[in-house]
Amino acid sequence: EQMRVSGSLRQWQKVTFDGEELIGVLWRSEGGTIKIDHYPYDQAVVVLRGSLTLKETDGTEQHFKPGSTFLLPRGFKGLWIMDSDDYEELVVVERSTFLRHE
């Protein structure tokens, strides 16, 4: 809630792969904007539904649509803007790091 800038941001997640080193999580959210001050870990992302804009604090923007893949680095600072009411992604991250921050 403290990261919410706008939108309802009701979220849901489900672990889809739980290996020794990596974990895969299906994550869904209603539309809105989240402010991130320091993302806690590296993650690989595949956008499955909806669209996403990442706006870094220096103003750099990146836009992603279904089928897009990107790496979100630990330490990212900026806005995570879900441009549609039904956003869904698959996240892959180091298992121990993810569990430490959930």
Side-chain angles (χ1 to χ4, degrees):
E1 181 62 30
Q2 57 189 251
M3 295 170 48
R4 184 170 68 88
V5 174
S6 67
S8 68
L9 297 175
R10 282 191 288 182
Q11 301 171 6
W12 172 88
Q13 70 181 25
K14 178 183 180 183
V15 173
T16 58
F17 173 77
D18 192 1
E20 276 187 47
E21 295 183 23
L22 297 176
I23 193 166
V25 179
L26 185 61
W27 187 76
R28 292 181 184 162
S29 178
E30 292 182 348
T33 300
I34 299 169
K35 182 179 180 186
I36 300 171
D37 290 323
H38 187 274
Y39 203 72
Y41 47 79
D42 297 319
Q43 71 177 21
V45 179
V46 179
V47 177
L48 302 174
R49 188 179 327 166
S51 60
L52 173 71
T53 299
L54 293 180
K55 185 173 184 178
E56 297 184 49
T57 54
D58 68 2
T60 303
E61 288 188 17
Q62 297 178 64
H63 304 279
F64 304 97
K65 59 184 182 179
S68 297
T69 60
F70 64 95
L71 299 175
L72 186 68
R74 179 177 32 170
F76 172 84
K77 295 178 183 179
L79 298 177
W80 178 284
I81 306 162
M82 290 163 289
D83 302 314
S84 60
D85 285 334
D86 192 16
Y87 177 76
E88 182 177 62
E89 68 183 25
L90 176 64
V91 176
V92 178
V93 66
E94 182 186 45
R95 184 179 194 281
S96 62
T97 304
F98 179 80
L99 295 175
R100 191 168 48 246
H101 291 282
E102 284 302 302

